[in-house]
Amino acid sequence: MDTSSNTLDIVGLCGSLRAGSLNGMALRLAGECMPQGMALEVIEWSQVPPFNADVLEQQGVPAPVQRIRDRIARADGVVIATPEYNFSLPGMLKNLIDWLSRGADQPMAHKPVAIMSAATGPLGGARVQYDLRRVLLFVNAMVLVKPEVFIGNAQSKFTSEGQCSDEATRQFVAAQMAAFGRWIAQARAMQAG
C-alpha cells in the first residue's frame, strides 16, 4: 500500500467472515478499481468479541477492538462490503459497529464511508444497505449516497480465484470508487469550512 501523504488511506471492512466471501471479492475489486491516489487496506476483524457493556466499563476496550478503532481513526475513509443476512446486517458487523460507537472518540464520526453489497440473489443485498445506512447515520458517519453498488447473482461475476469476470460490475465499482474519492474531498472541505 502506498502510504505517501498524497494518497488517500482507505480501510476496507468485509461484513462476512468467510474466507471465500463474495463480499470479500467485491472489496478486493474496489481496491483494484480505486483511482490513482487512493489505496485500500482490508482489515481482519474476526477476533472482535461480542459487545458487552460490563466488559467495557470494567476492563475497557478489548485489544482487537482498540486496534480497529485506531486504524479507522487514521484512515481517510472506509469501504464496507457486506452480505445481507435475514433481510438485514450480519450480526457480527453490527456488533463491530456497536463497539466502535462507544466513547467520545468514535472513529466513525465524520468518517466518509462507501457501501457495497454482493449476493447470490438478484437484488444484490439491497435491503442490507438500507439498514446499514441507518446504523451509520446514528454513529455520524458521512455515507456516500450515490452511486450505489448492488452486485446481484454475484457467484456468476467472480472466478473461483476471486477475480471479477464481469465488465459491467467492474465499471460500477470503479464509478463508485471515483465518486468516493470526490466525496472524501468534499467531506474534508465541509469539516474545514
Side-chain angles (χ1 to χ4, degrees), residues 118-139:
T120 56
L123 298 180
R127 290 172 290 238
V128 70
Q129 290 199 28
Y130 303 134
D131 281 355
L132 183 54
R133 286 177 190 278
R134 288 186 317 162
V135 172
L136 292 172
L137 175 68
F138 182 78
V139 299

Side-chain angles (χ1 to χ4, degrees), residues 102-118:
R102 297 309 192 260
D105 60 340
Q106 296 179 27
M108 296 297 287
H110 308 290
K111 187 69 61 176
V113 177
I115 299 170
M116 64 177 58
S117 54

Side-chain angles (χ1 to χ4, degrees), residues 70-135:
D70 293 344
R71 182 64 186 94
I72 290 174
R74 291 191 313 270
D76 295 304
V78 177
V79 175
I80 301 173
T82 186
E84 178 181 304
Y85 287 0
N86 300 319
F87 283 13
S88 191
L89 277 76
M92 288 298 292
L93 178 60
K94 176 63 166 59
N95 179 69
L96 173 62
I97 296 170
D98 289 344
W99 273 115
L100 296 174
S101 72
R102 297 309 192 260
D105 60 340
Q106 296 179 27
M108 296 297 287
H110 308 290
K111 187 69 61 176
V113 177
I115 299 170
M116 64 177 58
S117 54
T120 56
L123 298 180
R127 290 172 290 238
V128 70
Q129 290 199 28
Y130 303 134
D131 281 355
L132 183 54
R133 286 177 190 278
R134 288 186 317 162
V135 172

Side-chain angles (χ1 to χ4, degrees), residues 2 37 43 51 63 81 97 101 105-107 118 125 127 140 142-143 158 174 177 190:
D2 183 353
I43 59 174
F51 178 76
I97 296 170
S101 72
D105 60 340
Q106 296 179 27
R127 290 172 290 238
N140 216 16
M142 301 178 71
V143 181
F158 292 92
M177 291 302 100
M190 286 187 279

Side-chain angles (χ1 to χ4, degrees), residues 8-191:
L8 293 176
D9 175 28
I10 310 299
V11 164
L13 293 174
C14 183
S16 171
L17 299 175
R18 295 184 69 182
S21 165
L22 291 167
N23 283 277
M25 295 175 194
L27 199 53
R28 287 188 296 277
L29 176 62
E32 294 170 13
C33 291
M34 286 182 172
Q36 187 173 1
M38 294 176 76
L40 177 72
E41 179 187 4
V42 177
I43 59 174
E44 196 281 326
W45 57 274
S46 64
Q47 298 304 309
V48 171
F51 178 76
N52 184 328
D54 288 340
V55 170
L56 180 63
E57 291 172 7
Q58 296 167 13
Q59 302 170 22
V61 176
V65 176
Q66 190 60 54
R67 187 182 72 251
I68 295 165
R69 289 176 61 88
D70 293 344
R71 182 64 186 94
I72 290 174
R74 291 191 313 270
D76 295 304
V78 177
V79 175
I80 301 173
T82 186
E84 178 181 304
Y85 287 0
N86 300 319
F87 283 13
S88 191
L89 277 76
M92 288 298 292
L93 178 60
K94 176 63 166 59
N95 179 69
L96 173 62
I97 296 170
D98 289 344
W99 273 115
L100 296 174
S101 72
R102 297 309 192 260
D105 60 340
Q106 296 179 27
M108 296 297 287
H110 308 290
K111 187 69 61 176
V113 177
I115 299 170
M116 64 177 58
S117 54
T120 56
L123 298 180
R127 290 172 290 238
V128 70
Q129 290 199 28
Y130 303 134
D131 281 355
L132 183 54
R133 286 177 190 278
R134 288 186 317 162
V135 172
L136 292 172
L137 175 68
F138 182 78
V139 299
N140 216 16
M142 301 178 71
V143 181
L144 175 70
V145 177
K146 292 181 182 177
E148 296 175 306
V149 173
F150 306 99
I151 306 173
N153 301 308
Q155 72 282 4
S156 69
K157 295 176 180 165
F158 292 92
T159 68
S160 58
E161 293 80 34
Q163 297 299 311
C164 180
S165 57
D166 182 68
E167 188 55 31
T169 297
R170 183 174 292 278
Q171 290 176 8
F172 287 135
V173 172
Q176 187 188 49
M177 291 302 100
F180 190 44
R182 294 189 298 271
W183 178 236
I184 292 169
Q186 290 175 326
R188 286 179 171 176
M190 286 187 279
Q191 292 173 21

